[in-house]
Amino acid sequence: MPTRLHSWGLRTALSEFREPAFLGDLRFAKAPLSTLAVGLGRSYGDSGLNDGGLAVSTLSLKRLIEFDDFGGLLRAESGASLYELLQFLVPRGFFLPVVPGTQYVTLGGAVANDIHGKNHHRAGNFGHHVTRLELLRSNGERVVCSRDEHAELFRATVGGLGLTGIITWVEIRVPRIGSSLIDQEIIPFSSLDDYFELSEESDSTHEFTMSWVDVLSSKGNELRGLYMRGNWAPSGERAFYPSGRVARVPVKLPEFVLSTSSVKAFNSLYALKGRMQSGASQTAYRPFFFPLDAVSDWNRIYGRRGFYQYQMVVPPAHARDATRALLNEITLSGEGSFLAVLKHFGARESDGLLSFPREGVTLALDFADRGAETLKLFERLDKIVFEAGGALYAAKDARMSPAGFVASVKGGHGTLREFAKYRDPALSSSFWRRVMESEASP
Ligand SMILES: Cc1cc2nc3c(=O)[nH]c(=O)nc-3n(C[C@H](O)[C@H](O)[C@H](O)COP(=O)(O)OP(=O)(O)OC[C@H]3O[C@@H](n4cnc5c(N)ncnc54)[C@H](O)[C@@H]3O)c2cc1C
């Protein structure tokens, strides 16, 4: 009996659904049905959906397998969430090498999208810290791959959108921490040039950097934002912070919540709060890395139609002009975004064939789904991104064109042909069929 599944942006799919309890119970669907492993469903668009196929949830496969606290090496089943891993690691004086904006993603999902965090300029992507992983292929083979063994399959799997096999376990190197506290600094800024200056100055002094910007305040070079930077506090408490009580979004929100004037008011309040908290302070890791986790189901704020997240990266040579052009285009459209995130990616080359991060500036923002108007705006934004030699992030996407996907993969058609050699033919996703089963396929 097919089940309706949805992504974080509330894109939906009807799929057969299974949640095996043990690695030995993992099965692929019988042809012609395709299979996709799924984690906590935190991908925004359709890359974690498999409409008309089988979705295999890994959420019961979350056992810790090994931990070497001398070398800082952790091996766990792929359905373990970063939250569960932190619960184990933090009291022992370790953390994860890279974390995204939520701790509710699985190890498998973190590898399949080769995720990035606030320390990209220092630590690179999640995949850079993976030492080995095991893949279950549809022919029944279990393949352990690393940079030394089956290195090409490893490169295809990191950032490989779950299409090279079901990842059963992952081994990662985890860094030591002196405390679970962050020495943070919040600096309000008022122009895009200020942002670039702050970023240049902070990337060498701070392990974690990012900024929040109010796109509705953007006019020419003017841009209101809060620059946040931090380092681990060398000593202090070493505590895991459990989820505890979280606020919930009511099921039915009145229409006015998403009007441009409400978004403007929200952003002004947030800016004011930021200005009041500006300066140096010490904070627990949880509000610093995962502020949105404080509101459960916040994705429902956009109503039943859901929303899109648009995340792009543009190379350093065009970063300033392309970012300005994107912000201006969004302001002109009047389509608001509650929180937009602006950050510099460092120069470290991604290991994954299809990995998204690359040197440059990345901007990520949410848009309520207002149908054709929103999609037309994205086409105008795509033009700016691709003319600047930039790329879009598949984990956030529900609408890029096949040509846009080819442009977003480093090396384009050549890389996709290479990837095809390692893809497991029994695996597919709604995203993959949308961008690959068309004239743009290599
Ligand atoms: C609030 C929020 C903030 C975020 N911030 C960031 C950020 O800062 N940086 C960033 O990079 N991303 C960010 N993301 C996106 C998120 O990190 C990725 O989409 C991540 O991959 C989600 O993991 P998941 O467990 O929910 O996987 P799902 O969304 O369920 O699946 C994602 C992909 O992983 C594959 N997959 C999952 N498990 C396996 C497995 N065992 N074997 C093979 N393939 C598998 C799926 O097939 C799919 O292709 C954010 C998302 C949210 C909601």
Side-chain angles (χ1 to χ4, degrees), residues 7-9 26 35-49 56-59 61 77-82 98-118 134-135 157 160-170 289 292-293 298-299 307 309 311 341 345 356-357 393-396 427-429 431:
S7 68
W8 194 247
L26 280 169
T35 301
L36 186 73
V38 296
L40 276 160
R42 270 8 185 231
S43 298
Y44 283 68
D46 51 1
S47 64
L49 296 176
V56 178
S57 167
T58 61
L59 295 190
L61 309 173
E77 289 179 358
S78 64
S81 70
L82 304 193
V98 168
V99 291
T102 172
Q103 51 194 332
Y104 301 115
V105 311
T106 61
L107 259 182
V111 173
N113 278 318
D114 199 8
I115 60 168
H116 57 271
K118 291 182 171 64
E134 186 190 69
L135 273 182
T157 300
L161 304 169
L163 299 169
T164 59
I166 300 180
I167 302 168
T168 57
W169 55 255
V170 179
F289 291 118
L292 288 171
D293 287 350
W298 63 260
N299 53 340
F307 68 108
Q309 184 164 101
Q311 181 167 1
V341 170
F345 280 155
F356 164 71
Y393 190 10
K396 307 289 179 81
L427 293 169
S428 185
S429 66
F431 173 85

Coordinates of all heavy atoms in Angstrom, one line a residue, residues 7-9 26 35-49 56-59 61 77-82 98-118 134-135 157 160-170 289 292-293 298-299 307 309 311 341 345 356-357 393-396 427-429 431, ligand 1:
S7 N 8.9 16.0 1.7 CA 10.2 16.5 2.0 C 10.1 17.7 3.0 O 9.0 18.1 3.3 CB 10.9 16.9 0.7 OG 10.2 18.0 0.2
W8 N 11.2 18.3 3.3 CA 11.2 19.4 4.3 C 10.4 20.6 3.7 O 9.7 21.3 4.4 CB 12.6 19.8 4.7 CG 12.6 20.7 5.9 CD1 12.9 22.0 5.9 CD2 12.1 20.4 7.2 NE1 12.8 22.5 7.2 CE2 12.3 21.5 8.0 CE3 11.6 19.2 7.8 CZ2 11.9 21.6 9.4 CZ3 11.3 19.3 9.2 CH2 11.4 20.4 9.9
G9 N 10.5 20.8 2.4 CA 9.7 21.9 1.7 C 8.3 21.5 1.4 O 7.6 22.2 0.6
L26 N 17.8 -5.3 5.0 CA 17.7 -4.4 3.9 C 17.5 -5.1 2.5 O 18.2 -6.0 2.2 CB 19.0 -3.6 3.7 CG 19.3 -2.4 4.7 CD1 20.7 -1.9 4.6 CD2 18.3 -1.2 4.4
T35 N 14.4 1.9 -6.0 CA 14.6 2.0 -4.6 C 15.3 3.2 -4.3 O 16.2 3.7 -5.1 CB 15.3 0.7 -4.1 OG1 14.6 -0.4 -4.5 CG2 15.6 0.7 -2.6
L36 N 15.1 3.8 -3.1 CA 15.9 4.9 -2.6 C 15.9 4.8 -1.1 O 14.9 4.7 -0.4 CB 15.2 6.3 -3.0 CG 16.1 7.5 -2.6 CD1 17.3 7.6 -3.5 CD2 15.3 8.8 -2.7
A37 N 17.2 4.9 -0.5 CA 17.3 4.9 1.0 C 16.9 6.4 1.4 O 17.3 7.3 0.8 CB 18.7 4.6 1.4
V38 N 16.2 6.5 2.5 CA 15.8 7.8 3.0 C 16.1 7.9 4.5 O 16.0 6.9 5.2 CB 14.4 8.2 2.7 CG1 14.1 8.3 1.2 CG2 13.4 7.2 3.4
G39 N 16.5 9.1 4.9 CA 16.9 9.4 6.3 C 15.8 10.2 7.0 O 14.6 9.8 7.0
L40 N 16.1 11.3 7.5 CA 15.2 12.1 8.3 C 14.4 13.1 7.5 O 13.7 14.0 8.0 CB 15.9 12.8 9.5 CG 16.1 11.9 10.7 CD1 17.2 12.5 11.6 CD2 14.8 11.8 11.5
G41 N 14.5 13.0 6.2 CA 13.6 13.8 5.3 C 13.9 15.3 5.4 O 13.0 16.1 5.2
R42 N 15.2 15.7 5.7 CA 15.5 17.1 5.8 C 15.9 17.8 4.5 O 16.3 19.0 4.5 CB 16.6 17.4 6.9 CG 16.1 17.6 8.4 CD 14.7 17.4 8.6 NE 14.3 17.7 10.0 CZ 13.6 16.9 10.8 NH1 13.2 15.8 10.4 NH2 13.3 17.4 12.0
S43 N 16.0 17.0 3.4 CA 16.2 17.6 2.2 C 15.0 18.4 1.8 O 13.9 17.9 2.0 CB 16.6 16.6 1.1 OG 17.8 15.9 1.5
Y44 N 15.1 19.6 1.2 CA 14.0 20.4 1.0 C 13.1 20.0 -0.2 O 11.9 20.2 -0.2 CB 14.5 21.9 0.7 CG 14.9 22.6 2.0 CD1 16.0 22.2 2.7 CD2 14.1 23.7 2.5 CE1 16.4 22.9 3.8 CE2 14.5 24.3 3.6 CZ 15.7 23.9 4.3 OH 16.1 24.6 5.4
G45 N 13.8 19.5 -1.3 CA 13.0 19.3 -2.5 C 12.7 17.8 -2.7 O 12.1 17.2 -1.9
D46 N 13.1 17.3 -3.9 CA 12.7 15.9 -4.3 C 13.9 15.0 -4.3 O 13.7 13.9 -4.8 CB 11.9 15.9 -5.6 CG 12.6 16.7 -6.7 OD1 13.7 17.2 -6.5 OD2 12.0 16.7 -7.8
S47 N 15.0 15.4 -3.8 CA 16.2 14.4 -3.9 C 16.1 13.3 -2.9 O 16.7 12.3 -3.1 CB 17.5 15.2 -3.8 OG 17.6 15.7 -2.5
G48 N 15.3 13.5 -1.9 CA 15.0 12.4 -0.9 C 13.7 11.8 -1.1 O 13.2 11.1 -0.1
L49 N 13.1 11.9 -2.2 CA 11.8 11.3 -2.5 C 11.9 10.4 -3.7 O 12.7 10.6 -4.6 CB 10.7 12.4 -2.9 CG 10.4 13.4 -1.8 CD1 9.4 14.5 -2.3 CD2 9.7 12.7 -0.5
V56 N 13.2 3.2 1.4 CA 13.7 2.4 2.5 C 14.2 3.3 3.6 O 15.3 4.0 3.4 CB 14.8 1.4 2.0 CG1 15.3 0.6 3.2 CG2 14.3 0.5 0.9
S57 N 13.5 3.4 4.7 CA 13.9 4.3 5.8 C 15.0 3.6 6.6 O 15.0 2.4 6.9 CB 12.7 4.6 6.7 OG 13.2 5.1 7.9
T58 N 16.1 4.4 6.9 CA 17.2 3.9 7.7 C 17.0 4.2 9.2 O 18.0 3.9 9.9 CB 18.5 4.5 7.2 OG1 18.4 5.9 7.4 CG2 18.8 4.2 5.7
L59 N 15.9 4.7 9.6 CA 15.8 5.3 10.9 C 15.9 4.3 12.1 O 16.2 4.7 13.2 CB 14.5 6.1 11.1 CG 14.5 7.4 10.2 CD1 13.3 8.3 10.5 CD2 15.8 8.2 10.2
L61 N 18.1 1.9 11.8 CA 19.5 1.4 11.7 C 20.4 2.5 12.2 O 21.0 3.2 11.5 CB 19.8 1.1 10.2 CG 18.8 0.2 9.5 CD1 19.1 0.1 8.0 CD2 18.8 -1.2 10.1
E77 N 26.0 3.0 12.3 CA 25.0 2.7 11.2 C 24.5 4.0 10.6 O 24.4 5.0 11.3 CB 23.9 1.8 11.7 CG 24.3 0.4 12.0 CD 23.2 -0.5 12.5 OE1 22.1 0.0 12.7 OE2 23.5 -1.7 12.8
S78 N 24.1 3.9 9.3 CA 23.8 5.2 8.6 C 22.6 5.9 9.0 O 22.4 7.1 8.7 CB 23.7 4.8 7.1 OG 22.6 4.0 6.9
G79 N 21.7 5.2 9.8 CA 20.5 5.9 10.2 C 20.6 6.7 11.5 O 19.7 7.4 11.9
A80 N 21.8 6.7 12.1 CA 22.0 7.4 13.3 C 22.0 8.9 13.0 O 22.5 9.4 12.0 CB 23.4 7.1 13.9
S81 N 21.3 9.7 13.8 CA 21.2 11.1 13.5 C 22.4 11.9 14.2 O 23.0 11.3 15.1 CB 19.9 11.7 14.1 OG 20.0 11.7 15.5
L82 N 22.7 13.0 13.7 CA 23.8 13.8 14.3 C 23.4 14.1 15.7 O 24.3 14.1 16.6 CB 24.0 15.1 13.5 CG 24.3 14.9 12.0 CD1 24.8 16.2 11.4 CD2 25.2 13.8 11.7
V98 N 31.8 18.5 10.9 CA 31.0 19.4 10.1 C 29.5 19.2 10.5 O 29.1 18.0 10.6 CB 31.2 19.1 8.6 CG1 30.1 19.9 7.8 CG2 32.6 19.5 8.2
V99 N 28.8 20.3 10.9 CA 27.4 20.1 11.1 C 26.6 21.1 10.3 O 27.0 22.2 10.1 CB 27.0 20.2 12.6 CG1 27.5 19.1 13.4 CG2 27.5 21.6 13.2
P100 N 25.4 20.7 9.8 CA 24.5 21.6 9.1 C 23.7 22.5 10.0 O 24.0 22.4 11.2 CB 23.7 20.7 8.2 CG 23.5 19.5 9.1 CD 24.8 19.4 9.9
G101 N 22.7 23.2 9.5 CA 21.9 24.1 10.4 C 20.9 23.3 11.2 O 20.1 24.0 11.9
T102 N 20.8 22.0 11.2 CA 19.9 21.2 12.0 C 20.7 20.0 12.4 O 21.5 19.4 11.6 CB 18.6 20.8 11.3 OG1 17.9 19.9 12.1 CG2 18.8 20.2 9.9
Q103 N 20.4 19.5 13.7 CA 21.1 18.2 14.1 C 20.2 17.0 13.7 O 20.6 15.9 14.0 CB 21.4 18.3 15.5 CG 20.3 18.6 16.4 CD 20.7 19.0 17.9 OE1 21.7 18.5 18.4 NE2 19.9 19.8 18.5
Y104 N 19.1 17.3 13.1 CA 18.2 16.1 12.7 C 18.4 15.7 11.3 O 17.5 15.8 10.5 CB 16.7 16.5 13.0 CG 16.6 16.9 14.5 CD1 16.2 18.2 14.9 CD2 16.8 15.9 15.5 CE1 16.1 18.5 16.2 CE2 16.8 16.2 16.8 CZ 16.4 17.5 17.2 OH 16.3 17.8 18.5
V105 N 19.6 15.3 11.0 CA 19.9 14.6 9.7 C 20.7 13.4 10.1 O 21.3 13.3 11.1 CB 20.7 15.5 8.7 CG1 20.1 16.9 8.6 CG2 22.2 15.7 9.1
T106 N 20.6 12.4 9.2 CA 21.3 11.1 9.5 C 22.7 11.1 8.9 O 23.0 11.9 8.0 CB 20.5 9.9 8.8 OG1 20.4 10.2 7.4 CG2 19.1 9.8 9.4
L107 N 23.5 10.2 9.3 CA 24.8 10.0 8.8 C 24.8 9.8 7.3 O 25.5 10.3 6.5 CB 25.5 8.8 9.4 CG 26.5 9.0 10.5 CD1 27.0 7.6 11.0 CD2 27.6 9.9 10.1
G108 N 23.8 8.9 6.9 CA 23.7 8.5 5.5 C 23.3 9.8 4.6 O 23.9 10.0 3.6
G109 N 22.4 10.6 5.2 CA 22.0 11.8 4.5 C 23.2 12.8 4.4 O 23.3 13.5 3.4
A110 N 24.0 12.9 5.5 CA 25.1 13.8 5.5 C 26.1 13.4 4.4 O 26.7 14.3 3.8 CB 25.7 13.8 6.9
V111 N 26.3 12.1 4.2 CA 27.3 11.7 3.2 C 26.7 11.9 1.8 O 27.3 12.4 0.9 CB 27.7 10.2 3.4 CG1 28.5 9.7 2.3 CG2 28.4 10.0 4.7
A112 N 25.4 11.5 1.6 CA 24.8 11.5 0.3 C 24.7 12.9 -0.3 O 24.7 13.1 -1.5 CB 23.4 10.9 0.3
N113 N 24.6 13.9 0.6 CA 24.6 15.3 0.1 C 25.9 16.0 0.4 O 26.1 17.2 0.1 CB 23.4 16.1 0.7 CG 22.2 15.8 -0.1 OD1 22.2 15.8 -1.3 ND2 21.1 15.7 0.6
D114 N 26.9 15.3 0.9 CA 28.2 15.9 1.3 C 28.0 17.3 1.9 O 28.5 18.3 1.3 CB 29.1 15.9 0.0 CG 30.6 16.1 0.5 OD1 30.9 16.0 1.7 OD2 31.4 16.3 -0.4
I115 N 27.3 17.3 3.0 CA 26.9 18.6 3.6 C 28.0 19.5 4.0 O 29.1 19.0 4.3 CB 25.9 18.3 4.7 CG1 26.6 17.5 5.8 CG2 24.6 17.6 4.2 CD1 25.8 17.5 7.1
H116 N 27.7 20.7 4.2 CA 28.7 21.7 4.6 C 28.1 22.4 5.9 O 26.9 22.4 6.1 CB 28.9 22.8 3.5 CG 27.7 23.4 3.1 ND1 26.9 22.9 2.1 CD2 27.0 24.5 3.6 CE1 25.8 23.7 2.0 NE2 25.9 24.7 2.9
G117 N 29.0 23.1 6.6 CA 28.5 23.9 7.8 C 29.2 25.2 7.9 O 29.8 25.7 6.9
K118 N 29.2 25.8 9.1 CA 29.7 27.2 9.3 C 31.2 27.2 9.2 O 31.8 28.2 9.2 CB 29.3 27.7 10.6 CG 27.8 28.0 10.8 CD 27.5 28.5 12.2 CE 26.1 29.0 12.3 NZ 25.1 28.0 12.2
E134 N 30.4 1.6 4.1 CA 30.0 0.4 3.4 C 28.8 0.6 2.6 O 27.8 1.3 3.1 CB 29.8 -0.8 4.5 CG 29.5 -2.1 3.7 CD 29.0 -3.2 4.7 OE1 27.8 -3.1 5.2 OE2 29.7 -4.2 4.9
L135 N 28.8 0.0 1.4 CA 27.6 0.2 0.5 C 27.0 -1.2 0.3 O 27.7 -2.2 0.0 CB 28.1 0.7 -0.9 CG 28.2 2.1 -1.1 CD1 28.7 2.3 -2.6 CD2 26.9 2.9 -0.9
T157 N 30.1 8.1 -4.2 CA 29.1 8.0 -3.2 C 29.0 9.3 -2.3 O 27.9 9.6 -1.9 CB 29.4 6.8 -2.3 OG1 29.4 5.6 -3.1 CG2 28.5 6.6 -1.2
G160 N 26.8 11.7 -3.6 CA 26.2 11.0 -4.8 C 24.7 10.8 -4.7 O 24.1 9.9 -5.4
L161 N 24.0 11.6 -3.8 CA 22.5 11.6 -3.8 C 21.8 10.3 -3.6 O 20.7 10.0 -4.0 CB 22.0 12.3 -5.1 CG 22.6 13.7 -5.5 CD1 22.2 14.1 -6.9 CD2 22.0 14.7 -4.5
G162 N 22.6 9.4 -2.9 CA 22.0 8.1 -2.5 C 21.8 7.1 -3.7 O 21.1 6.1 -3.6
L163 N 22.6 7.4 -4.8 CA 22.3 6.6 -6.0 C 23.3 5.5 -6.3 O 23.3 4.9 -7.4 CB 22.2 7.6 -7.2 CG 21.0 8.6 -7.0 CD1 21.1 9.7 -8.1 CD2 19.7 7.9 -7.1
T164 N 24.3 5.3 -5.5 CA 25.4 4.3 -5.8 C 25.2 3.1 -4.9 O 26.0 2.1 -5.1 CB 26.8 4.9 -5.4 OG1 26.8 5.3 -4.1 CG2 27.1 6.1 -6.3
G165 N 24.2 3.1 -4.0 CA 24.0 1.9 -3.2 C 23.4 2.4 -1.9 O 23.3 3.6 -1.6
I166 N 23.0 1.5 -1.0 CA 22.5 1.9 0.3 C 23.7 1.9 1.2 O 24.4 0.9 1.4 CB 21.4 0.9 0.8 CG1 20.2 0.9 -0.1 CG2 20.9 1.4 2.2 CD1 19.0 0.0 0.3
I167 N 24.0 3.0 1.9 CA 25.1 3.1 2.8 C 24.7 2.5 4.1 O 23.6 2.8 4.6 CB 25.5 4.6 3.1 CG1 25.8 5.4 1.8 CG2 26.6 4.7 4.1 CD1 25.9 6.9 1.9
T168 N 25.4 1.4 4.5 CA 25.0 0.7 5.7 C 25.6 1.3 7.0 O 25.0 1.5 8.0 CB 25.3 -0.8 5.6 OG1 26.7 -0.9 5.4 CG2 24.5 -1.4 4.5
W169 N 26.9 1.6 6.9 CA 27.6 2.3 8.0 C 28.6 3.3 7.5 O 29.1 3.2 6.3 CB 28.2 1.3 9.0 CG 29.2 0.3 8.4 CD1 28.9 -1.0 8.2 CD2 30.6 0.5 8.0 NE1 30.0 -1.7 7.7 CE2 31.1 -0.8 7.6 CE3 31.4 1.6 8.0 CZ2 32.4 -0.9 7.1 CZ3 32.7 1.4 7.5 CH2 33.2 0.2 7.1
V170 N 29.0 4.2 8.3 CA 30.0 5.2 8.0 C 31.0 5.4 9.1 O 30.6 5.3 10.3 CB 29.3 6.6 7.8 CG1 30.2 7.7 7.5 CG2 28.1 6.5 6.8
F289 N 24.7 26.6 16.6 CA 24.7 25.8 15.3 C 23.3 25.5 14.8 O 23.1 25.4 13.6 CB 25.4 24.4 15.5 CG 26.9 24.6 15.7 CD1 27.5 24.1 16.8 CD2 27.7 25.1 14.7 CE1 28.9 24.2 17.0 CE2 29.1 25.2 14.8 CZ 29.7 24.8 16.0
L292 N 17.3 26.9 14.5 CA 16.0 26.6 14.0 C 15.4 25.3 14.6 O 14.1 25.1 14.6 CB 16.0 26.4 12.5 CG 16.1 27.7 11.7 CD1 16.4 27.4 10.2 CD2 14.9 28.6 11.8
D293 N 16.2 24.5 15.2 CA 15.7 23.3 15.9 C 14.9 23.7 17.1 O 14.2 22.8 17.7 CB 16.9 22.4 16.3 CG 17.5 21.7 15.2 OD1 16.9 21.8 14.0 OD2 18.6 21.0 15.4
W298 N 8.9 23.9 11.8 CA 8.8 25.3 11.4 C 8.5 25.4 9.9 O 8.0 26.4 9.4 CB 10.0 26.1 11.7 CG 11.3 25.7 11.1 CD1 12.3 24.9 11.7 CD2 11.8 25.9 9.7 NE1 13.3 24.7 10.8 CE2 13.0 25.3 9.6 CE3 11.2 26.6 8.6 CZ2 13.7 25.3 8.4 CZ3 11.9 26.7 7.5 CH2 13.2 26.0 7.3
N299 N 8.7 24.3 9.2 CA 8.5 24.3 7.7 C 7.0 24.4 7.5 O 6.6 24.8 6.3 CB 9.0 23.0 7.1 CG 8.5 21.7 7.7 OD1 8.1 21.7 8.9 ND2 8.6 20.6 7.0
F307 N 7.1 25.3 0.5 CA 8.0 26.4 0.1 C 9.2 25.8 -0.6 O 9.4 24.6 -0.6 CB 8.5 27.2 1.4 CG 9.3 26.4 2.3 CD1 10.7 26.7 2.4 CD2 8.8 25.4 3.1 CE1 11.5 26.0 3.3 CE2 9.6 24.7 4.0 CZ 11.0 25.0 4.1
Q309 N 13.5 26.2 -1.1 CA 14.7 26.9 -0.7 C 15.6 27.0 -1.9 O 15.7 26.1 -2.7 CB 15.5 26.2 0.4 CG 16.7 27.1 0.8 CD 17.4 26.8 2.1 OE1 18.4 26.2 2.1 NE2 16.8 27.3 3.2
Q311 N 19.4 27.7 -3.0 CA 20.8 27.9 -2.5 C 21.7 27.8 -3.7 O 21.7 26.8 -4.4 CB 21.2 26.8 -1.4 CG 22.6 27.1 -0.9 CD 23.0 26.4 0.3 OE1 22.2 25.6 0.9 NE2 24.3 26.6 0.8
V341 N 20.7 33.3 4.3 CA 22.0 33.1 4.9 C 23.1 33.3 3.8 O 22.9 32.9 2.7 CB 22.1 31.6 5.4 CG1 23.5 31.2 5.8 CG2 21.2 31.4 6.6
F345 N 32.5 30.0 1.1 CA 33.1 28.7 1.1 C 34.6 28.8 0.9 O 35.0 29.6 0.1 CB 32.5 27.8 0.0 CG 31.1 27.2 0.2 CD1 30.3 26.9 -0.8 CD2 30.7 26.9 1.5 CE1 29.1 26.3 -0.7 CE2 29.4 26.3 1.7 CZ 28.6 26.0 0.6
F356 N 28.3 19.6 -4.0 CA 27.9 21.0 -4.3 C 29.0 22.1 -3.9 O 29.3 23.0 -4.6 CB 26.6 21.3 -3.6 CG 26.2 22.8 -3.4 CD1 25.9 23.5 -4.6 CD2 26.3 23.4 -2.2 CE1 25.6 24.9 -4.5 CE2 26.0 24.8 -2.1 CZ 25.6 25.5 -3.2
P357 N 29.6 22.0 -2.6 CA 30.5 23.1 -2.2 C 31.7 23.3 -3.1 O 32.3 22.3 -3.6 CB 30.9 22.7 -0.8 CG 29.9 21.7 -0.3 CD 29.5 21.0 -1.6
Y393 N 22.3 23.9 -5.3 CA 22.4 22.8 -4.4 C 21.3 21.8 -4.6 O 20.1 22.2 -4.2 CB 22.5 23.3 -3.0 CG 22.9 22.3 -1.9 CD1 23.4 21.1 -2.2 CD2 22.9 22.7 -0.6 CE1 23.8 20.2 -1.2 CE2 23.2 21.9 0.5 CZ 23.7 20.6 0.1 OH 24.1 19.7 1.2
A394 N 21.5 20.6 -5.0 CA 20.5 19.6 -5.2 C 19.7 19.3 -4.0 O 18.5 19.0 -4.0 CB 21.1 18.3 -5.8
A395 N 20.3 19.3 -2.8 CA 19.6 18.9 -1.6 C 18.5 19.9 -1.2 O 17.6 19.6 -0.5 CB 20.6 18.9 -0.4
K396 N 18.6 21.1 -1.8 CA 17.6 22.1 -1.5 C 16.6 22.3 -2.7 O 15.6 23.1 -2.6 CB 18.3 23.5 -1.3 CG 19.4 23.5 -0.3 CD 18.9 23.3 1.1 CE 20.0 23.3 2.2 NZ 20.5 24.6 2.6
L427 N 18.6 2.0 -8.2 CA 18.3 3.2 -7.3 C 17.9 4.4 -8.2 O 18.5 4.6 -9.3 CB 19.5 3.5 -6.5 CG 19.9 2.5 -5.4 CD1 21.3 2.8 -4.9 CD2 18.9 2.4 -4.3
S428 N 16.9 5.1 -7.7 CA 16.5 6.3 -8.4 C 15.8 7.2 -7.4 O 15.5 6.8 -6.3 CB 15.6 6.0 -9.6 OG 15.3 7.2 -10.3
S429 N 15.6 8.5 -7.8 CA 14.8 9.4 -7.0 C 14.0 10.3 -7.9 O 14.2 10.3 -9.1 CB 15.8 10.3 -6.1 OG 16.5 11.1 -7.0
F431 N 14.1 13.4 -7.9 CA 15.0 14.5 -8.4 C 15.8 13.9 -9.7 O 15.9 14.6 -10.7 CB 16.0 14.8 -7.3 CG 17.1 15.8 -7.8 CD1 16.9 17.1 -7.8 CD2 18.3 15.3 -8.2 CE1 17.9 18.0 -8.3 CE2 19.3 16.1 -8.6 CZ 19.1 17.5 -8.7
Ligands
LIG1 C1 16.9 23.5 8.9 C2 17.8 22.9 8.0 C3 19.1 23.4 7.9 C4 20.0 22.8 7.0 N1 21.2 23.3 6.9 C5 22.1 22.8 6.0 C6 23.5 23.2 5.9 O1 23.9 24.1 6.7 N2 24.3 22.6 5.1 C7 23.9 21.6 4.3 O2 24.7 21.1 3.5 N3 22.7 21.1 4.3 C8 21.8 21.7 5.2 N4 20.5 21.2 5.2 C9 20.1 20.0 4.3 C10 20.4 18.7 5.0 O3 21.6 18.7 5.7 C11 20.5 17.6 3.9 O4 19.4 17.6 3.0 C12 20.7 16.2 4.5 O5 21.1 15.4 3.4 C13 19.4 15.6 5.1 O6 19.7 14.4 5.7 P1 18.5 13.4 6.0 O7 18.9 12.3 6.9 O8 17.2 14.2 6.4 O9 18.3 12.7 4.5 P2 17.1 12.7 3.5 O10 16.6 14.1 3.3 O11 16.0 11.7 3.9 O12 17.8 12.1 2.2 C14 18.8 12.9 1.6 C15 19.6 12.1 0.6 O13 20.4 11.2 1.3 C16 20.2 9.9 0.8 N5 20.4 8.9 1.8 C17 19.9 9.0 3.1 N6 20.3 7.9 3.8 C18 21.0 7.1 2.9 C19 21.7 5.8 3.0 N7 21.7 5.2 4.2 N8 22.3 5.4 1.9 C20 22.3 6.1 0.8 N9 21.7 7.2 0.6 C21 21.1 7.8 1.7 C22 18.8 9.9 0.2 O14 18.6 9.0 -0.8 C23 18.8 11.3 -0.4 O15 19.4 11.4 -1.6 C24 19.6 21.7 6.1 C25 18.2 21.2 6.2 C26 17.4 21.8 7.1 C27 15.9 21.3 7.2

